[in-house]
Amino acid sequence: MSILKDEDPRIHGIKTKIRVVPNFPKPGIMFQDITTLLLDPKAFKDTIDLFVERYKGKNISVVAGIEARGFIFGPPIALAIGAKFVPLRKPKKLPGDVIFEEYTLEYGRDCLEMHVGAVQLGERALVVDDLIATGGTLCAAMNLLERVGAEVVECACLIELPDLQGRERLNGKPLYVLVEYQ
Amino acid sequence: MLVLKDEDPRIHGIKTKIRVVPNFPKPGIMFQDITTLLLDPKAFKDTIDLFVERYKGKNISVVAGIEARGFIFGPPIALAIGAKFVPLRKPKKLPGDVIFEEYTLEYGSDRLEMHVGAVELGERALVVDDLIATGGTLCAAMNLLERVGAEVVECACLIELPDLQGRERLNGKPLYVLVEYQ
């Protein structure tokens, strides 16, 4: 992993805790496993603190987390900055009225859903997930929020895979990541 | 919902934020939707605080959360009490070596997986989920932890459906809930 100039000293500890699992879920994929980070209370806390320090006091009222690993990092950030947490889920998991956004996968399509009424016009929102790869899921998440009139302030991920150029797919929205994997 | 004698004053506010959605995911089920609680930063914080106050300083080193709604409540508790967070997941989601425990559903069975090596012999653990119904999933979670030699100190849920008698299924393990729905 690259070490960035002027990097916060906590970043190195976080990087070393991410486990790369080859050939998961299929051959050729180097899977970035964040569960090993969650086993280290200090590294997990540092991860959350880095995001909280960036977003506290910026009038962000919504943290939207993408199922399922966005559910691990989003809520602690939301709690610390005083924002609501909005889960963005796979189809048929949220009860009641939802809106959905389709996005393409390598083979086929998938869908992300959000509750109607969870987010109001004019709210300032973050989108949180553990990792950005192609950016397809993050894009769908941003679209859901923008469709209800929220302003997506930034997308926040622990890990970026820059070779997959997800950053370019975000339509100019800022992306903040702690770690790049090349 | 019941109001219990000597109930912490925060509980009432939490109860009122849980939305009951009839006939989801199928006819006859009154679904307990906690997403409306997550939209209220104070109620969400109170929820976490109630668990943290109960478990802080009790030498609990593991908080295991059941996918997916246990991922929302487990990590904030883990962070606040200085424990590791261990996700217990549906099949094929965790990379690398896992152990699994099967449990029965109304029709058929399902499986919960945990990473090998995530939890050590002798660790004191909590299991966290949003709700206990029949107790099947919580039982499977407890079994995973006990099979690797951890001590399950308590199961912690926001909501209990007492008519489904999940509490009895927990083999004598303590269960702590904030709210009952009858």
Side-chain angles (χ1 to χ4, degrees):
Chain A
M1 298 201 176
S2 48
I3 298 201
L4 306 169
K5 188 165 60 104
D6 297 333
E7 193 178 79
D8 186 288
R10 291 167 288 184
I11 299 262
H12 178 72
I14 289 165
K15 274 181 195 163
T16 61
K17 289 292 173 176
I18 295 165
R19 173 173 76 149
V20 180
V21 181
N23 301 314
F24 182 90
K26 32 181 225 202
I29 306 240
M30 302 294 278
F31 188 87
Q32 307 291 313
D33 181 16
I34 50 82
T35 66
T36 38
L37 175 88
L38 307 176
L39 296 182
D40 180 334
K42 179 185 187 307
F44 186 17
K45 179 182 188 302
D46 285 346
T47 302
I48 300 302
D49 286 350
L50 282 160
F51 290 118
V52 170
E53 288 161 22
R54 183 176 180 86
Y55 298 121
K56 198 163 196 166
K58 301 264 166 70
N59 265 328
I60 288 161
S61 59
V62 179
V63 173
I66 298 177
E67 171 165 18
R69 289 183 290 264
F71 288 9
I72 296 173
F73 299 99
I77 296 168
L79 285 159
I81 69 173
K84 60 174 89 161
F85 178 72
V86 175
L88 304 181
R89 298 209 68 173
K90 304 282 186 184
K92 300 193 173 57
K93 303 291 187 72
L94 291 172
D97 296 336
V98 298
I99 59 171
F100 70 88
E101 182 83 13
E102 274 198 344
Y103 59 101
T104 48
L105 299 171
E106 190 177 9
Y107 299 104
R109 312 166 71 103
D110 206 341
C111 209
L112 211 55
E113 294 185 346
M114 180 172 80
H115 266 136
V116 169
V119 178
Q120 321 283 111
L121 181 74
E123 292 207 75
R124 285 163 54 78
L126 291 182
V127 183
V128 174
D129 206 358
D130 64 325
L131 178 146
I132 174 172
T134 61
T137 321
L138 271 173
C139 244
M142 292 196 325
N143 289 344
L144 282 170
L145 291 161
E146 289 179 341
R147 278 165 56 191
V148 299
E151 173 197 349
V152 176
V153 174
E154 195 156 82
C155 295
C157 302
L158 275 71
I159 304 161
E160 177 182 12
L161 307 181
D163 295 344
L164 297 180
Q165 301 174 305
R167 192 178 281 268
E168 283 67 42
R169 195 149 166 197
L170 297 185
N171 259 346
K173 275 301 168 195
L175 169 69
Y176 174 69
V177 304
L178 302 184
V179 159
E180 295 181 6
Y181 183 80
Q182 269 147 341
Chain B
M1 298 208 176
L2 294 176
V3 178
L4 305 171
K5 186 164 64 101
D6 297 332
E7 193 178 78
D8 186 288
R10 291 168 288 184
I11 299 260
H12 178 73
I14 289 165
K15 273 180 194 166
T16 61
K17 289 292 173 175
I18 295 166
R19 174 173 75 150
V20 180
V21 181
N23 302 313
F24 183 90
K26 34 179 224 200
I29 306 242
M30 302 294 277
F31 188 87
Q32 307 290 314
D33 182 16
I34 50 84
T35 65
T36 38
L37 175 86
L38 307 176
L39 296 181
D40 180 332
K42 179 186 185 307
F44 187 17
K45 180 182 186 304
D46 285 347
T47 302
I48 300 302
D49 286 350
L50 281 160
F51 291 117
V52 170
E53 288 161 22
R54 183 177 180 84
Y55 299 121
K56 198 164 195 163
K58 300 263 167 66
N59 265 328
I60 289 162
S61 59
V62 179
V63 173
I66 298 177
E67 172 165 16
R69 289 182 290 263
F71 288 9
I72 295 174
F73 299 99
I77 296 167
L79 285 160
I81 69 174
K84 62 175 90 161
F85 178 71
V86 175
L88 303 180
R89 298 210 67 175
K90 306 279 186 187
K92 299 194 176 56
K93 303 291 188 71
L94 291 172
D97 295 336
V98 298
I99 59 171
F100 70 86
E101 182 81 13
E102 276 200 348
Y103 60 100
T104 48
L105 300 171
E106 191 178 9
Y107 298 105
S109 65
D110 205 342
R111 207 177 249 214
L112 211 55
E113 293 185 346
M114 180 172 80
H115 265 137
V116 168
V119 177
E120 320 272 309
L121 181 74
E123 293 209 73
R124 284 164 54 77
L126 291 181
V127 183
V128 174
D129 206 358
D130 64 324
L131 178 146
I132 174 172
T134 61
T137 322
L138 271 172
C139 244
M142 290 194 329
N143 288 344
L144 282 170
L145 291 161
E146 290 179 340
R147 278 166 55 191
V148 298
E151 173 197 349
V152 176
V153 173
E154 195 156 81
C155 294
C157 302
L158 275 70
I159 304 160
E160 177 183 9
L161 307 180
D163 295 345
L164 297 179
Q165 301 175 303
R167 193 177 280 269
E168 283 67 41
R169 196 148 164 198
L170 297 186
N171 259 345
K173 274 303 167 193
L175 169 69
Y176 174 69
V177 304
L178 303 184
V179 158
E180 294 181 10
Y181 182 81
Q182 269 148 339

